[in-house]
């Protein structure tokens, strides 16, 4: 059985890498065809699609009565998106970040995780007898997601009126609109299937080894469901589509909290273990550090030095998790 699990993990990885390549080709071409920037596609189509594994895992975990796995999945994924994914991607190719991302998307990602900290600590803040992400909390998060999408649509409309976009990404291989959409959908499908195959088999191995549900969520499931973002961002960086890379990671963090946690908690109230506060604080710190790095060295840029520091911090965090048990 162990050998079969390992084989399926390899199959999942192949599907993730192949799907990421197809997705980036389709999304970059679609951006040019629709005369919007690659950043917009990264923040919407790519982020929504690569967050699909988190949504699937969370709904299944919530329905199966595993709230620690559901919350750990999102927090672990968000930490991995910044420390691991942006760390690896910026080491491969320095990422230039647009002004809107610095002043709007990154702060919104920070707001989302701060809200999660506030919403989960009912016992401390409201003096009640329970901690939970309630259906009311979920509706608030989904409403904020609606505001974010309204902002993205408005930004897309503004960009379509700028003639300079006609020359953006001239080196991108062009496909028809239909072919671009087809490639994007096919890539997303491969990412979702690959992510699910990999995570389910990794969790099976972890459970056999006697690891806790929270630890599995924060590490194996959190990293596993972030693999679509990692594969997509690395391929985007190699192809010099850095807007897709940074937009994908930041957009996924926004989607994960506002949409995935929002939808999951509306379906079923999520009990909140106070121990995960430490991990939420790590996520807040990672997002703050990303924002600070926008003003250190070359402005609005994430270079190799910053990428290495992210990877070192992530290694330290993983070591802490395994010591915590």
């Amino acid at each position: 059985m162990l050998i079969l699990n390992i084989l399926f993990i390899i199959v999942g990885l192949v599907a993730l890498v192949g799907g990421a390549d197809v997705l980036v080709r389709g999304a970059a071409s679609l951006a040019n065809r629709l005369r919007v920037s690659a950043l917009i596609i990264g923040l919407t189509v790519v982020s929504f699609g690569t967050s699909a594994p988190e949504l699937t895992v969370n709904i299944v975990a919530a329905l199966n009565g595993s709230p620690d796995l559901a919350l750990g999945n999102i927090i672990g994924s968000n930490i991995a998106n910044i420390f691991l994914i942006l760390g690896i991607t910026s080491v491969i190719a320095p990422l230039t970040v647009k002004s809107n991302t610095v002043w709007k998307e990154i702060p919104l990602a920070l707001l989302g995780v701060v809200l999660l900290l506030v919403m989960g600590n009912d016992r401390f803040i409201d003096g009640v007898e329970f901690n939970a992400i309630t259906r009311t909390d979920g509706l608030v998060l989904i409403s904020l997601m609606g505001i974010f999408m309204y902002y993205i649509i408005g930004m897309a409309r503004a960009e379509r009126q700028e003639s300079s976009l006609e020359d953006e990404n001239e080196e991108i291989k062009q496909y028809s609109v239909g072919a671009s959409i087809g490639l994007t959908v096919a890539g997303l499908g491969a990412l979702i299937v690959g992510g699910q195959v990999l995570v389910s088999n990794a969790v099976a191995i972890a459970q056999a080894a006697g690891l806790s549900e929270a630890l599995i969520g924060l590490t194996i499931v959190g990293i596993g469901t972030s693999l679509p973002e990692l594969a997509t961002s690395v391929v985007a960086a190699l192809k010099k589509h850095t807007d897709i890379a940074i937009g994908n990671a930041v957009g996924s963090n926004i989607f994960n909290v506002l949409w995935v946690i929002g939808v999951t908690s509306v379906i079923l109230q999520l009990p909140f273990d106070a121990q995960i506060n430490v991990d939420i604080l790590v996520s807040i710190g990672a997002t703050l550090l990303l924002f600070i790095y926008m003003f250190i060295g070359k402005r609005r840029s994430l270079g190799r030095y910053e990428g290495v520091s992210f990877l070192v911090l992530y290694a330290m965090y993983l070591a802490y998790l395994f010591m915590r048990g």
Side-chain angles (χ1 to χ4, degrees):
M1 187 64 183
L2 177 62
I3 295 176
L4 192 59
N5 290 139
I6 294 173
L7 287 175
F8 274 119
I9 286 175
I10 294 171
V11 170
L13 284 170
V14 171
L16 285 171
V17 174
D21 182 69
V22 172
L23 174 61
V24 169
R25 289 176 185 274
S29 174
L30 188 62
N32 264 10
R33 288 294 184 182
L34 297 180
R35 294 179 59 226
V36 298
S37 70
L39 174 64
I40 300 296
I41 299 296
L43 283 168
T44 54
V45 177
V46 177
S47 293
F48 185 83
T50 54
S51 290
E54 284 91 336
L55 180 59
T56 304
V57 168
N58 264 39
I59 291 175
V60 171
L63 293 176
N64 289 341
S66 301
D68 288 346
L69 181 62
L71 289 172
N73 170 35
I74 293 304
I75 302 304
S77 179
N78 278 18
I79 294 171
N81 280 346
I82 294 178
F83 280 162
L84 179 64
I85 293 173
L86 290 184
I88 291 174
T89 308
S90 57
V91 167
I92 292 172
L95 304 177
T96 300
V97 185
K98 289 192 174 182
S99 179
N100 277 338
T101 301
V102 174
W103 295 110
K104 294 178 181 177
E105 285 98 47
I106 294 177
L108 183 57
L110 178 62
L111 173 64
V113 73
V114 169
L115 280 176
L116 195 60
L117 181 69
V118 173
M119 290 175 172
N121 286 280
D122 303 281
R123 185 179 288 112
F124 176 75
I125 295 175
D126 296 326
V128 296
E129 296 300 317
F130 66 91
N131 283 336
I133 307 296
T134 65
R135 288 186 173 91
T136 303
D137 295 333
L139 291 172
V140 171
L141 293 174
I142 292 173
S143 298
L144 289 173
M145 185 66 203
I147 294 172
F148 174 62
M149 293 308 301
Y150 178 79
Y151 153 71
I152 291 296
I153 291 170
M155 188 162 63
R157 285 176 176 172
E159 288 192 346
R160 289 190 68 178
Q161 296 175 357
E162 297 179 9
S163 59
S164 61
L165 283 175
E166 296 177 358
D167 300 322
E168 188 182 272
N169 296 329
E170 291 178 346
E171 297 180 0
I172 294 175
K173 185 174 180 179
Q174 292 292 310
Y175 303 95
S176 67
V177 173
S180 298
I181 294 174
L183 287 170
T184 303
V185 171
L188 288 176
L191 286 173
I192 293 169
V193 172
Q196 285 301 102
V197 168
L198 187 145
V199 169
S200 61
N201 284 277
V203 169
I205 293 174
Q207 289 176 335
L211 300 177
S212 71
E213 184 178 285
L215 182 60
I216 291 172
L218 287 163
T219 55
I220 294 174
V221 178
I223 295 172
T225 54
S226 288
L227 285 176
E229 285 92 340
L230 175 59
T232 301
S233 293
V234 168
V235 172
L238 291 172
K239 294 180 181 295
K240 307 302 181 184
H241 306 321
T242 57
D243 279 347
I244 288 182
I246 189 75
N248 173 39
V250 175
S252 288
N253 277 16
I254 296 172
F255 272 76
N256 282 347
V257 174
L258 301 186
W259 179 246
V260 177
I261 290 291
V263 170
T264 307
S265 57
V266 166
I267 293 174
L268 190 70
Q269 178 172 289
L270 295 174
F272 186 94
D273 186 344
Q275 186 182 37
I276 206 169
N277 281 328
V278 175
D279 306 289
I280 293 178
L281 289 172
V282 172
S283 183
I284 291 172
T287 311
L288 276 173
L289 186 58
L290 175 62
F291 182 74
I292 291 170
Y293 274 165
M294 296 298 99
F295 307 96
I296 295 177
K298 185 179 179 182
R299 290 177 63 87
R300 292 195 288 112
S301 178
L302 200 62
R304 289 185 172 89
Y305 172 81
E306 290 84 358
V308 170
S309 69
F310 276 170
L311 294 176
V312 170
L313 288 170
Y314 192 61
M316 293 171 62
Y317 171 66
L318 289 180
Y320 158 74
L321 284 180
F322 282 99
M323 286 189 294
R324 188 175 78 182

